[in-house]
Amino acid sequence: MGMILLALGLVLIVEGLAYALAPSLIERMLEALRTLPEQARRLAGLLCVVSGLVLLWGAYQVGF
C-alpha cells in the first residue's frame, strides 16, 4: 500500500509541476491529442500504464 501512495504522490507532483510551469504547453499538447484517432490515444494510454507498472516493479525489486 505504501508503494501505491508513493507512486500516486509522485504522479501528482509531476502533473502539478507541468501545469504550474508550462500551462500553455499543456494546452498545445491537449490540442494535439484531440487530432489523434481514439485508437491511437487508447494505445498510448495502455503503453503508459504498462511502462508505469514495469517501473514500479523495477523499483520494488531494487528495494524501494
Side-chain angles (χ1 to χ4, degrees):
M1 183 67 177
M3 185 179 297
I4 292 173
L5 291 176
L6 175 66
L8 182 60
L10 289 172
V11 167
L12 289 173
I13 289 170
V14 170
E15 289 288 328
L17 281 173
Y19 282 102
L21 298 176
S24 61
L25 181 62
I26 297 295
E27 288 292 325
R28 286 187 296 184
M29 188 173 65
L30 288 173
E31 287 295 326
L33 282 172
R34 284 188 192 110
T35 63
L36 288 176
E38 183 179 339
Q39 191 64 24
R41 289 181 296 205
R42 191 178 311 272
L43 181 60
L46 183 60
L47 289 174
C48 286
V49 168
V50 170
S51 299
L53 287 172
V54 168
L55 287 172
L56 282 177
W57 177 80
Y60 182 74
Q61 294 300 316
V62 171
F64 287 109

